[in-house]
Amino acid sequence: MNDQEAWDRGVRLMEEIHDRLPHDLRQQLEAVLAGYRRRKEEMLALTVAGGSAGICRACGGQCCLNGKYRFSGLDLLAVLEQKTPLPAPDFTQKPLCPYGDAGGCRMPARFRPLDCVLFICEAIADRLEEPATHTLTRLEQELRQSMGLAETLLGQRLGQPLLLLAGHPDGTDTPRRRVTN
C-alpha cells in the first residue's frame, strides 16, 4: 500500500468511527475537540508573536522534513467534527511534509498536527519571553490531556499517525475499534 492509499484508508476508518458515534459520546468528543483546536491556535499565536514566522521562513522548514507521519487520527477527528475540507496531502514531494508547500503549512492552525504545534525549535525558544514559555507549557499539558480524554472516550489510541491507523505494514487491518451504535 502506498502513502496515498494508506492516507485514504486511514481517512475512511476515522470517518467510520466518527459516523458511528452515539449522540451523547459525539457531544462529549465535540467539547474535547473544540478545546484541542483552540489550544493549538493559542500555541501558534504565541510563537508567531515571538517571531516564528520570520524564523521559519529563513530556516526553510527543516522541522517539516519527513512530516508524513505527524498527522494523527485525533487531528483528523478535529477536522471531521468541523466539516472542514482538509488540504490534500502531496506525497510526491519527499522528504518535505506532504501538507506544506513553498508558502509553508497549508493547514489552518487549529488543524495542524499536534507534533508540529508542540515542536518549538531552539531559534524560536530563544526569542520567547518568560510569560509565553509558561503559557506554552500549560497549553501543551492541556493538549496532551485533551488527547488522553478523547482516547478514553473512544476507547482507542488516537495519537497514532493516520498513515499507520490504516493498517499494519504487512497489509493486515488494525483491530476494529470499540465504538459501536
Side-chain angles (χ1 to χ4, degrees):
M1 173 177 349
N2 68 33
D3 290 337
Q4 186 63 55
E5 292 168 334
W7 171 268
D8 293 341
R9 194 168 173 190
V11 168
R12 282 191 306 275
L13 174 66
M14 293 311 297
E15 286 173 339
E16 289 172 15
I17 290 168
H18 181 263
D19 292 347
R20 288 193 321 252
L21 290 174
H23 180 72
D24 61 329
L25 187 58
R26 184 180 299 232
Q27 286 183 316
Q28 292 174 55
L29 183 62
E30 283 176 15
V32 171
L33 293 174
Y36 183 71
R37 289 186 300 268
R38 186 182 68 252
R39 288 178 189 99
K40 283 183 183 182
E41 288 178 317
E42 289 175 32
M43 283 192 80
L44 289 169
L46 284 169
T47 59
V48 167
S52 66
I55 293 168
C56 295
R57 215 175 3 264
C59 166
Q62 290 300 303
C63 64
C64 297
L65 295 177
N66 302 307
K68 72 180 185 178
Y69 290 110
R70 294 193 179 128
F71 196 80
S72 72
L74 183 62
D75 294 323
L76 182 59
L77 282 175
V79 172
L80 293 174
E81 199 58 53
Q82 292 288 285
K83 297 176 175 62
T84 301
L86 184 65
D90 179 2
F91 294 108
T92 64
Q93 58 183 7
K94 293 176 186 176
L96 297 175
C97 177
Y99 319 112
D101 59 24
C105 187
R106 293 181 292 128
M107 288 193 191
R110 68 187 182 275
F111 298 131
R112 289 187 184 162
L114 181 61
D115 288 352
C116 299
V117 173
L118 295 179
F119 179 75
I120 299 173
C121 71
E122 194 172 318
I124 294 170
D126 289 345
R127 295 200 45 196
L128 296 173
E129 296 183 17
E130 194 65 32
T133 59
H134 287 296
T135 302
L136 287 168
T137 299
R138 177 185 53 82
L139 289 169
E140 178 177 352
Q141 291 169 347
E142 291 173 3
L143 279 164
R144 292 186 188 282
Q145 289 170 349
S146 293
M147 178 175 289
L149 184 53
E151 289 179 339
T152 299
L153 283 172
L154 298 187
Q156 66 186 36
R157 291 184 53 204
L158 298 169
Q160 254 186 310
L162 186 66
L163 290 179
L164 298 180
L165 283 173
H168 296 292
D170 65 3
T172 60
D173 286 339
T174 53
R176 280 288 163 209
R177 309 305 181 200
R178 291 191 307 181
V179 176
T180 58
N181 284 338

